[in-house]
Coordinates of all heavy atoms in Angstrom, one line a residue:
N116 N 5.4 -0.2 -9.0 CA 4.0 -0.6 -9.2 C 3.7 -1.1 -10.6 O 4.1 -0.5 -11.6 CB 3.0 0.6 -8.9 CG 3.1 1.0 -7.5 OD1 2.6 0.4 -6.6 ND2 3.8 2.2 -7.3
L117 N 3.0 -2.3 -10.7 CA 2.6 -2.9 -11.9 C 1.1 -2.5 -12.2 O 0.2 -2.8 -11.4 CB 2.7 -4.4 -11.9 CG 2.3 -5.1 -13.1 CD1 3.4 -4.9 -14.2 CD2 2.2 -6.6 -12.8
Y118 N 0.9 -1.8 -13.3 CA -0.4 -1.5 -13.8 C -0.6 -1.9 -15.2 O 0.1 -1.6 -16.1 CB -0.6 0.1 -13.8 CG -0.7 0.6 -12.4 CD1 0.4 1.1 -11.7 CD2 -1.9 0.7 -11.7 CE1 0.3 1.6 -10.4 CE2 -2.0 1.2 -10.4 CZ -0.9 1.7 -9.8 OH -1.0 2.2 -8.5
F119 N -1.7 -2.8 -15.4 CA -2.0 -3.3 -16.7 C -0.9 -3.9 -17.4 O -0.7 -3.7 -18.6 CB -2.6 -2.1 -17.5 CG -3.5 -1.2 -16.8 CD1 -3.3 0.2 -16.8 CD2 -4.5 -1.7 -15.9 CE1 -4.1 1.0 -16.1 CE2 -5.3 -0.8 -15.2 CZ -5.1 0.5 -15.2
G120 N 0.0 -4.6 -16.7 CA 1.1 -5.3 -17.3 C 2.4 -4.5 -17.5 O 3.3 -5.1 -18.1
K121 N 2.4 -3.3 -17.0 CA 3.6 -2.5 -17.2 C 4.1 -1.9 -15.9 O 3.3 -1.4 -15.1 CB 3.3 -1.3 -18.2 CG 4.5 -0.4 -18.6 CD 4.1 0.7 -19.5 CE 5.3 1.5 -19.9 NZ 6.2 0.7 -20.9
W122 N 5.4 -1.9 -15.7 CA 6.0 -1.3 -14.5 C 6.0 0.2 -14.7 O 6.6 0.7 -15.6 CB 7.3 -1.9 -14.2 CG 7.3 -3.4 -13.9 CD1 7.7 -4.4 -14.7 CD2 6.8 -4.0 -12.7 NE1 7.5 -5.6 -14.1 CE2 7.0 -5.4 -12.8 CE3 6.3 -3.5 -11.5 CZ2 6.6 -6.3 -11.8 CZ3 5.9 -4.4 -10.5 CH2 6.1 -5.7 -10.7
I123 N 5.3 0.9 -13.8 CA 5.2 2.4 -13.9 C 6.4 3.1 -13.2 O 6.5 2.9 -12.0 CB 3.9 2.8 -13.4 CG1 2.7 2.1 -14.1 CG2 3.7 4.3 -13.5 CD1 2.6 2.4 -15.6
L229 N 5.8 9.3 -20.3 CA 6.9 8.4 -20.6 C 6.5 6.9 -20.4 O 7.3 6.0 -20.9 CB 8.2 8.7 -19.9 CG 8.8 10.1 -20.2 CD1 10.0 10.3 -19.3 CD2 9.2 10.1 -21.7
D230 N 5.5 6.6 -19.7 CA 5.0 5.2 -19.5 C 4.1 4.7 -20.6 O 3.4 3.7 -20.4 CB 4.4 5.1 -18.1 CG 5.5 5.1 -17.0 OD1 6.5 4.4 -17.1 OD2 5.3 5.9 -16.0
G231 N 3.9 5.5 -21.7 CA 3.2 5.0 -22.8 C 1.7 5.0 -22.6 O 1.1 5.7 -21.7
R232 N 1.0 4.1 -23.3 CA -0.4 4.0 -23.2 C -0.9 3.6 -21.8 O -1.9 4.1 -21.3 CB -1.0 3.1 -24.3 CG -1.1 3.7 -25.7 CD -1.5 2.7 -26.7 NE -0.4 1.8 -27.0 CZ -0.3 1.0 -28.1 NH1 -1.4 1.0 -29.0 NH2 0.7 0.2 -28.3
E233 N -0.2 2.7 -21.2 CA -0.5 2.3 -19.9 C -0.5 3.5 -18.9 O -1.3 3.6 -18.0 CB 0.4 1.2 -19.4 CG 0.2 -0.1 -20.1 CD 1.1 -0.2 -21.4 OE1 1.7 0.8 -21.7 OE2 1.1 -1.3 -22.0
G234 N 0.5 4.4 -19.1 CA 0.6 5.5 -18.2 C -0.6 6.5 -18.4 O -1.1 7.0 -17.5

Side-chain angles (χ1 to χ4, degrees):
N116 297 286
L117 181 72
Y118 288 90
F119 322 131
K121 186 180 183 70
W122 295 106
I123 302 298
L229 293 177
D230 287 314
R232 279 174 286 195
E233 293 85 356

